[in-house]
């Protein structure tokens, strides 16, 4: 039955009224009607929407109760990266941050917006014409996860904005769990005999990643907005404090604790004031964030290494507690590293119950003089893994026992080896060790490597237990019927995993090198190796050619591994690990198996043997009129070479808008800096000289 004009009009009135009451209660903290009156309005709207389904709109207050379970979280590419913040650890570092900002902007003093650093989960909210259409996690800063339905259940987040809004608006903020709500949750689950969440932050993060948003809707989550991200059709004000005022006018809650302060002295006064209030706040904070108030100044300062130069986090000192170290267990990592883990008498520290703490390696155990049975100080700060800080020697008892490294790997029994001069001991079992195999496979399928969605930790463990996976190459022999027969796997889920495995065969050389898990070869180094050598065969040959120089007597470090060390950021130790990896026959077999399984990447074009930029090394930074890849292709087509970092070997820096630390380093080293037009002029000038 279609809705009458009266029903349509009444539904619209109820939506407006309920949204206004939500704003009064959750944003302004000034409830305007009783709970019973609110419930009556809510139920009336619900009844209308049930009777006339066409009246149900995405922005209806009734849609906050949660929806159908989602099979997965889809990736969301952020239009503007959600950057991390530089951490300043003491007053001297904070003053140095302020000095750098003032010097870069040629000012004697600047204003900062100071805000409490909530211990929650950063999210991005996208609105089109004032209506919430997408919400995502921060993820790795570049790509997050689509959790729109879960975010809609949080009543602090408006489904439809107030007043005039841009056609496209991104608002960023923090989802957190108020302490009172967290306590109620813990009491409830404990009474039912279930496992309680560890701390408010973990509880909030877990709630947002529920596949069924009805579960999220039952959690007492809250939200504060703190910034505007990407927008279209909006003329931003001059100051961040004015942006916050506009965010609040659109209907978002903004922390009442935010203040504008001047200089390092103002920042320190604010930090001390918030620290004094910390214990009485209704939510957890782990520090303070300081952001330059002047938005034009932010543009001028830019960013470095995914961190803005115009903001920093100043965290509270690590919290510490005293407890007893009851035992030691040894864990095995992806590269075979043996890590001693202290099993502690549980103690509440840093906002969580702690029963385990890392001791890093046996060198650390010896340095701290830790023994089993000791009374120790445990330190924890925010999300940092708890660590044993020191022994309370005055409380040492007579029955303490020394900590000894086991002779064999605790997982596979293989001999444990420790190279001379290295603090870390390692299992020699390689991929025959279940722990190393599991770690290697998790790394291989991770997003930054081969990005095989669906092959998670638990599924990998099942496949290893059933001897279906003994190396990364075995992933490509998996079949739908094999996966469908596993615990909590249906045929559709199995097919999705197989499709993801098939898609992973088309990759890039940089991703492939990173996925191999060579010790000390991170993502940036892997890309550098791929850019420099261009083919896997060339990299293998360089590793082979360098091997005789590795142990040659009388050579200085700078003379070892000459070919591998042509790659920027590859030093002696990294080169040694690369050379060792490629020297092992089992790794040659693995590469052959992976290539036979169909792993491939675009073949790099042959380097030009001539061109105006032949023999010249470039580094690219900042925002150019073309993409970074197009600029790199242009330089290489003219005979030049592009590397990732500035060094004394760099000939030119191609710098666009908002160039960061690379420009500063180039200026310090006296390296020529070009913009896009100057690069073309240089090519034309050199070509003309050659033609003469």
């Amino acid at each position: 039955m279609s809705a009458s004009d009266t029903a349509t009009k009444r539904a619209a009135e109820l939506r407006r009224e309920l949204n206004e009451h939500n704003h009064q209660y959750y944003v302004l903290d000034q409830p305007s009607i009783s709970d019973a009156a609110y419930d009556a309005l809510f139920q009336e709207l619900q009844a209308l929407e049930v009777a006339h389904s066409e009246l149900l709109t995405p922005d209806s207050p009734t849609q906050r109760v949660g929806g159908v379970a989602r099979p997965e979280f889809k990736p969301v590419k952020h239009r503007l990266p959600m950057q991390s913040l530089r951490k300043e650890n003491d007053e001297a570092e904070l003053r140095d941050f302020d000095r750098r900002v003032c010097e870069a902007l040629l000012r004697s003093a600047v204003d900062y917006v100071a805000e409490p650093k909530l211990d929650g989960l950063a999210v991005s909210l996208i609105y089109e014409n004032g209506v919430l259409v997408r919400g995502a996690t921060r993820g790795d800063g570049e790509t997050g996860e689509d959790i729109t339905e879960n975010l809609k259940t949080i009543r602090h987040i408006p489904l439809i904005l107030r007043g005039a809004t841009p056609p496209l608006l991104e608002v960023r903020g923090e989802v957190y769990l108020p302490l009172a709500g967290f306590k109620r949750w813990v009491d409830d689950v404990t009474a039912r005999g279930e496992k309680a969440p560890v701390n408010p932050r973990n509880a909030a993060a877990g709630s947002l990643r529920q596949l069924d948003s009805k579960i999220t809707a039952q959690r007492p989550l809250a939200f504060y907005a703190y910034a505007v991200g990407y927008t279209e059709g909006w003329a931003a004000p001059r100051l961040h404090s004015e942006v916050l005022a506009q965010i609040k006018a659109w209907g978002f809650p903004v922390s009442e604790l935010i203040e504008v302060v001047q200089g390092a002295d103002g920042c320190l006064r604010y930090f001390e004031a918030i620290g004094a209030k910390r214990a009485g706040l209704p939510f957890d904070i782990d520090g303070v964030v300081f952001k330059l108030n002047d938005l034009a100044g932010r543009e001028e300062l830019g960013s470095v290494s995914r961190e803005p130069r115009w903001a920093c986090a100043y965290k509270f000192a690590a919290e510490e507690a005293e407890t007893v170290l009851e035992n030691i267990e040894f864990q095995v990592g992806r590269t075979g590293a043996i890590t001693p883990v202290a099993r502690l008498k549980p103690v509440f520290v840093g906002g969580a119950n702690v029963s385990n703490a890392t001791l890093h390696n046996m060198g650390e155990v010896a340095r701290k003089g830790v023994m089993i049975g000791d009374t120790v100080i445990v330190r924890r700060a925010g999300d940092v893994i708890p660590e044993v800080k020191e022994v309370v020697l005055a409380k040492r008892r007579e029955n303490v026992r020394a900590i000894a490294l086991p002779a064999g790997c605790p997982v596979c029994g293989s001999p444990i080896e420790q190279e001379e001069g290295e603090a870390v001991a390692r299992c020699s079992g390689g991929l025959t060790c279940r722990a190393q195999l599991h770690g290697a496979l998790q790394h291989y399928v991770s997003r930054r490597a081969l990005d095989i969605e669906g092959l998670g930790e638990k599924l990998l463990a099942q496949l290893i237990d059933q001897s279906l996976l003994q190396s990364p190459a075995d992933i490509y022999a998996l079949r739908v019927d094999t996966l469908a027969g596993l615990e909590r796997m249906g045929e559709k889920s199995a097919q999705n995993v197989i499709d993801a495995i098939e898609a992973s065969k088309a990759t890039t050389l940089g991703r492939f090198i990173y996925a191999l898990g060579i010790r000390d070869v991170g993502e940036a180094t892997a890309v550098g190796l791929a850019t420099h050598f261009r083919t896997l065969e060339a990299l293998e040959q360089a590793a082979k050619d360098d091997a005789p120089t590795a142990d040659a007597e009388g050579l200085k470090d700078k003379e070892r591994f000459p070919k591998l060390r042509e790659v920027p950021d590859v030093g002696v130790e990294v080169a040694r690990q690369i050379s060792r990896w490629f020297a092992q026959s089992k790794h040659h077999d693995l590469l052959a198996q992976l290539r036979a399984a169909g792993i491939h990447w675009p073949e790099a074009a042959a380097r030009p043997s001539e061109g105006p930029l032949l023999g010249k090394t470039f580094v690219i930074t900042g925002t150019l009129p073309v993409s970074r890849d197009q600029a790199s292709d242009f330089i290489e087509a003219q005979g030049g070479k592009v590397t990732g970092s500035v060094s004394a070997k760099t000939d030119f820096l191609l710098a666009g808008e908002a160039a960061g630390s690379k420009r500063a380093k180039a200026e310090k080293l006296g390296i020529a800096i070009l913009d896009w037009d100057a690069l073309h002029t240089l090519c034309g000038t050199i070509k003309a000289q050659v033609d003469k």
Side-chain angles (χ1 to χ4, degrees):
M1 181 185 296
S2 63
S4 66
D5 290 343
T6 302
T8 302
K9 183 179 179 181
R10 179 57 179 160
E13 289 173 352
L14 287 167
R15 283 195 296 271
R16 283 194 297 270
E17 191 172 351
L18 287 168
N19 281 329
E20 179 60 30
H21 291 315
N22 280 334
H23 179 71
Q24 292 287 331
Y25 186 91
Y26 291 103
V27 178
L28 302 182
D29 197 22
Q30 296 172 354
S32 49
I33 59 172
S34 68
D35 289 348
Y38 180 92
D39 291 343
L41 295 172
F42 188 92
Q43 289 162 10
E44 182 184 353
L45 177 59
Q46 233 175 2
L48 281 172
E49 291 173 345
V50 169
H52 308 285
S53 58
E54 68 271 24
L55 294 179
L56 185 61
T57 61
D59 60 308
S60 173
T62 63
Q63 296 309 289
R64 292 190 184 277
V65 296
V68 180
R70 295 171 58 92
E72 60 185 23
F73 292 113
K74 296 178 181 178
V76 175
K77 184 78 172 177
H78 299 304
R79 296 271 194 109
L80 291 175
M82 294 186 72
Q83 298 178 307
S84 55
L85 292 177
R86 176 187 174 90
K87 310 295 189 299
E88 308 298 356
N89 299 306
D90 54 37
E91 180 179 338
E93 289 188 0
L94 181 62
R95 289 190 180 280
D96 194 45
F97 161 75
D98 178 54
R99 178 190 56 77
R100 291 194 305 271
V101 170
C102 290
E103 288 180 354
L105 296 177
L106 302 177
R107 301 181 197 173
S108 59
V110 296
D111 287 345
Y112 298 98
V113 172
E115 62 188 57
K117 186 177 183 298
L118 271 71
D119 198 11
L121 198 73
V123 298
S124 161
L125 305 170
I126 305 295
Y127 290 80
E128 292 181 359
N129 297 314
V131 177
L132 178 63
V133 295
R134 185 177 297 111
T137 62
R138 176 185 180 276
D140 61 8
E142 300 286 340
T143 304
E145 294 175 313
D146 188 335
I147 54 168
T148 307
E149 298 307 314
N150 291 346
L151 288 170
K152 281 183 176 181
T153 69
I154 302 173
R155 296 181 185 274
H156 295 73
I157 296 176
L159 300 180
I160 186 166
L161 301 184
R162 303 163 67 84
T165 60
L168 182 63
L169 170 69
E170 178 192 11
V171 173
R172 295 174 174 181
E174 196 90 359
V175 172
Y176 65 98
L177 197 60
L179 294 175
F182 177 68
K183 184 179 184 303
R184 288 196 303 272
W185 184 3
V186 170
D187 291 344
D188 288 345
V189 299
T190 303
R192 295 196 300 268
E194 300 173 4
K195 185 178 179 181
V198 176
N199 56 45
R201 187 195 185 284
N202 286 5
S207 298
L208 283 181
R209 300 196 78 257
Q210 291 291 325
L211 293 178
D212 187 347
S213 57
K214 290 179 182 177
I215 298 175
T216 307
Q218 298 168 9
R219 306 284 167 81
L221 298 172
F223 173 80
Y224 271 136
Y226 57 64
V228 166
Y230 182 83
T231 65
E232 289 181 4
W234 185 55
R238 187 176 62 86
L239 301 175
H240 179 58
S241 53
E242 296 171 341
V243 171
L244 292 174
Q246 179 60 70
I247 288 175
K248 191 170 183 179
W250 281 324
F252 293 95
V254 175
S255 175
E256 297 296 329
L257 296 171
I258 292 176
E259 293 181 16
V260 177
V261 300
Q262 187 178 74
D265 288 338
C267 290
L268 289 165
R269 281 193 294 271
Y270 179 87
F271 181 78
E272 290 173 5
I274 288 293
K277 297 177 182 176
R278 184 183 183 190
L281 293 177
F283 42 74
D284 268 347
I285 63 173
D286 57 3
V288 170
V289 174
F290 299 114
K291 301 174 182 175
L292 184 67
N293 198 20
D294 180 9
L295 300 184
R298 292 185 183 187
E299 288 292 323
E300 189 174 343
L301 288 169
S303 303
V304 57
S305 299
R306 299 187 181 182
E307 296 176 353
R309 283 198 177 95
W310 42 264
C312 72
Y314 191 38
K315 303 190 78 171
F316 296 119
E319 293 189 38
E320 299 177 350
E322 189 176 289
T323 188
V324 175
L325 192 157
E326 297 181 329
N327 206 351
I328 289 287
E329 291 183 11
F330 290 90
Q331 294 182 345
V332 185
R334 173 175 65 86
T335 63
I338 307 292
T339 302
V341 177
R343 302 304 184 196
L344 308 167
K345 183 177 180 180
V347 61
F348 193 80
V349 56
N353 282 311
V354 172
S355 55
N356 304 317
T358 182
L359 279 162
H360 302 292
N361 53 61
M362 290 303 292
E364 191 78 351
V365 170
R367 186 180 69 80
K368 292 178 177 176
V370 183
M371 302 183 80
I372 297 171
D374 268 334
T375 297
V376 296
I377 301 295
V378 180
R379 175 168 58 188
R380 183 178 183 272
D383 290 333
V384 177
I385 297 171
E387 67 169 347
V388 174
K389 178 187 175 186
E390 60 187 358
V391 177
V392 183
L393 290 174
K395 294 187 178 182
R396 174 167 281 175
R397 297 174 294 181
E398 292 183 0
N399 61 343
V400 295
R401 293 179 288 123
I403 299 171
L405 189 69
C409 171
V411 175
C412 69
S414 298
I416 291 177
E417 300 172 343
Q418 189 166 6
E419 294 185 17
E420 186 177 349
E422 273 205 6
V424 179
R426 299 181 190 275
C427 164
S428 60
L431 294 186
T432 61
C433 173
R434 186 185 185 281
Q436 290 189 64
L437 174 60
H438 193 269
L441 292 174
Q442 276 189 281
H443 177 76
Y444 185 85
V445 305
S446 64
R447 178 178 291 174
R448 295 289 192 176
L450 269 289
D451 191 19
I452 305 179
E453 194 171 350
L455 266 183
E457 182 178 350
K458 292 181 179 178
L459 180 55
L460 287 174
Q462 286 190 68
L463 293 168
I464 292 170
D465 286 343
Q466 297 191 24
S467 300
L468 293 171
L469 292 182
Q470 296 178 7
S471 88
D474 294 335
I475 290 172
Y476 299 95
L478 294 173
R479 297 292 178 264
V480 172
D481 55 348
T482 304
L483 294 178
L486 297 175
E487 182 183 348
R488 301 180 71 178
M489 285 289 290
E491 189 161 334
K492 184 177 180 182
S493 297
Q495 185 62 59
N496 289 339
V497 173
I498 294 300
D499 290 345
I501 291 171
E502 186 64 28
S504 76
K505 292 180 180 180
T507 185
T508 65
L509 179 55
R511 276 180 173 265
F512 182 72
I513 294 170
Y514 176 62
L516 295 175
I518 303 170
R519 267 178 63 187
D520 298 335
V521 175
E523 186 182 0
T525 301
V527 171
L529 290 166
T531 301
H532 181 82
F533 291 108
R534 307 175 77 80
T535 68
L536 183 63
E537 291 74 19
L539 172 57
E540 288 183 279
Q541 188 61 49
K544 180 179 178 181
D545 292 346
D546 274 358
T549 71
D551 301 312
E553 293 185 10
L555 286 181
K556 298 178 181 178
D557 274 352
K558 66 180 182 180
E559 296 171 326
R560 300 178 190 274
F561 308 103
K563 291 191 175 180
L564 291 173
R565 291 187 64 233
E566 288 179 4
V567 181
D569 299 329
V570 173
V572 172
E573 287 307 314
V574 175
R576 179 176 286 116
Q577 297 304 334
I578 296 169
S579 183
R580 284 180 178 175
W581 195 93
F582 281 103
Q584 297 181 54
S585 59
K586 63 182 179 182
H587 292 150
H588 285 283
D589 294 341
L590 173 62
L591 292 174
Q593 292 163 7
L594 291 171
R595 297 297 289 269
I599 305 294
H600 63 280
W601 48 84
E603 290 296 326
R607 290 188 185 277
S609 57
E610 57 182 20
L613 304 181
L614 189 64
K616 302 298 181 184
T617 299
F618 285 76
V619 172
I620 302 173
T621 188
T623 304
L624 298 164
V626 298
S627 72
R628 189 73 60 92
D629 287 342
Q630 288 173 316
S632 183
D633 289 345
F634 174 80
I635 290 169
E636 291 180 352
Q638 305 300 316
K641 181 172 71 172
V642 178
T643 61
S645 59
V646 176
S647 71
K649 297 179 181 178
T650 305
D651 295 298
F652 297 98
L653 180 74
L654 176 58
E657 295 294 325
S661 61
K662 291 179 180 177
R663 182 179 187 117
K665 188 171 182 180
E667 290 172 346
K668 185 176 180 180
L669 293 174
I671 293 167
I673 300 174
L674 307 173
D675 60 17
W676 184 240
D677 291 336
L679 173 63
H680 285 73
T681 301
L682 174 68
C683 290
T685 301
I686 295 175
K687 186 176 186 303
Q689 291 174 347
V690 171
D691 290 343
K692 287 182 180 180

